């Protein structure tokens, strides 16, 4: 998914344009991955200089990179996962923004920062996603030291919020779809059971309750779901019967 954002545009207007495009994405046309991919692609396209971006998730103490804009971001995320520490993990698990202004002199995670320098990243910004019940962060890796100013930090925080909103909205949408699907299945089951009851009522001059109890007895006696017994009766005209013991 390509977002048409130019680095020649001013930082604030480019950020607004990218966020508008992200917010306009239609949930039913996208997955969680494509929504989050739009966020990291917009982060890369909008922030000045050469940067790579990723989103880290920590589920059950196991970190993973959900999406990334380039190999640099993936490599440095995974370098931190292997060590069990680093700026992206700290941001995701503590909710604190972490900035490395110059990886050559930062002393907090020396084994990681030496790897970052080796891979060509001199500075980075890790922004926690503001969500309840989920540990996640937006990571931005830059090739130049001191790559982030107040405007770019603000932009990164806005993209992190957009990612959090995307996750929340997609979760709500999927939950609603699951509820709708379950209701549809329930309505279909009720419809076929009502049809089966009608057959029994007409055939044996039963009340609705008596016909329902006949279906329940057949279901229990054959160890089949009530819906399956009703389906069979509607389709074949025959009520399934339990096998007789010899």
């Amino acid at each position: 998914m390509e977002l048409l954002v130019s680095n020649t545009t001013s930082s604030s207007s480019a950020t607004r344009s990218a966020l508008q495009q992200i917010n306009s994405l239609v949930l039913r046309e996208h997955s969680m991955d494509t929504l989050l991919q739009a966020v990291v692609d917009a982060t890369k396209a909008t922030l000045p200089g050469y940067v790579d971006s990723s989103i880290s998730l920590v589920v059950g103490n196991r970190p993973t990179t959900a999406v990334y804009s380039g190999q640099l971001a993936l490599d440095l995320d995974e370098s931190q996962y292997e060590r069990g520490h680093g700026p992206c993990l700290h941001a995701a698990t503590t909710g604190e923004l972490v900035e490395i202004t110059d990886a050559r002199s930062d002393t907090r995670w020396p084994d990681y920062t030496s790897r970052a320098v080796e891979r060509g990243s001199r500075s980075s910004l890790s922004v926690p996603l503001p969500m309840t019940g989920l540990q996640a962060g937006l990571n931005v890796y830059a090739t130049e030291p001191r790559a982030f100013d107040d405007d770019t930090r603000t932009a990164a925080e806005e993209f992190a919020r957009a990612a959090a909103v995307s996750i929340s909205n997609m979760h709500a949408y999927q939950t609603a779809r699951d509820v709708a699907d379950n209701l549809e299945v329930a309505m279909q089951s009720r419809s076929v059971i009502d049809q089966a009851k009608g057959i029994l009522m007409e055939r044996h001059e039963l009340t609705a309750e008596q016909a329902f109890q006949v279906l329940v007895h057949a279901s229990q006696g054959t160890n089949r779901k009530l819906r399956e017994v009703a389906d069979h009766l509607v389709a074949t005209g025959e009520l399934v019967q339990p096998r007789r013991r010899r």
Side-chain angles (χ1 to χ4, degrees), residues 174-188:
Q174 290 174 338
T175 300
R177 276 302 331 157
D178 289 343
V179 170
D181 291 343
N182 289 336
L183 285 174
E184 184 177 356
V185 170
M187 291 175 65
Q188 291 172 351

Side-chain angles (χ1 to χ4, degrees), residues 74-234:
L74 179 62
D75 287 349
L76 293 184
D77 280 359
E78 292 184 342
S79 177
Q80 295 172 67
Y81 305 157
E82 291 170 2
R83 291 166 171 77
H85 58 245
C88 83
L89 289 175
H90 186 84
T93 57
T94 67
E96 299 174 357
L97 184 148
V98 180
E99 180 178 359
I100 292 180
T101 57
D102 192 333
R104 294 169 297 186
S105 57
D106 194 290
T107 59
R108 286 172 289 183
W109 304 282
D111 55 341
Y112 160 70
T113 50
S114 62
R115 172 62 176 164
V117 171
E118 179 184 322
R119 287 289 288 111
S121 175
R122 299 293 187 268
S123 58
S124 66
L125 195 64
S126 293
V127 185
L129 268 59
M131 296 189 65
T132 301
L134 177 67
Q135 294 180 324
L138 172 68
N139 312 303
V140 187
Y141 300 98
T143 57
E144 296 298 323
R146 300 176 181 81
F148 310 104
D149 57 17
D150 289 342
D151 287 340
T152 53
R153 292 186 198 97
T154 299
E157 289 174 336
E158 289 176 347
F159 283 122
R161 282 192 289 271
V165 169
S166 295
I167 292 173
S168 298
N169 287 346
M170 180 58 76
H171 181 266
Y173 173 74
Q174 290 174 338
T175 300
R177 276 302 331 157
D178 289 343
V179 170
D181 291 343
N182 289 336
L183 285 174
E184 184 177 356
V185 170
M187 291 175 65
Q188 291 172 351
S189 296
R190 179 175 177 177
S191 176
V192 73
I193 290 171
D194 285 344
Q195 291 178 58
K197 284 165 54 180
I199 292 172
L200 294 173
M201 290 167 66
E202 181 178 359
R203 182 180 297 174
H204 302 292
E205 297 184 354
L206 302 175
T207 65
E209 178 60 26
Q210 288 171 334
F212 181 72
Q213 290 304 321
V214 170
L215 293 173
V216 170
H217 179 74
S219 171
Q220 294 172 342
T222 58
N223 197 30
R224 297 173 67 176
K225 293 181 179 179
L226 187 63
R227 163 70 184 270
E228 294 176 359
V229 172
D231 268 334
H232 184 81
L233 176 58
V234 171

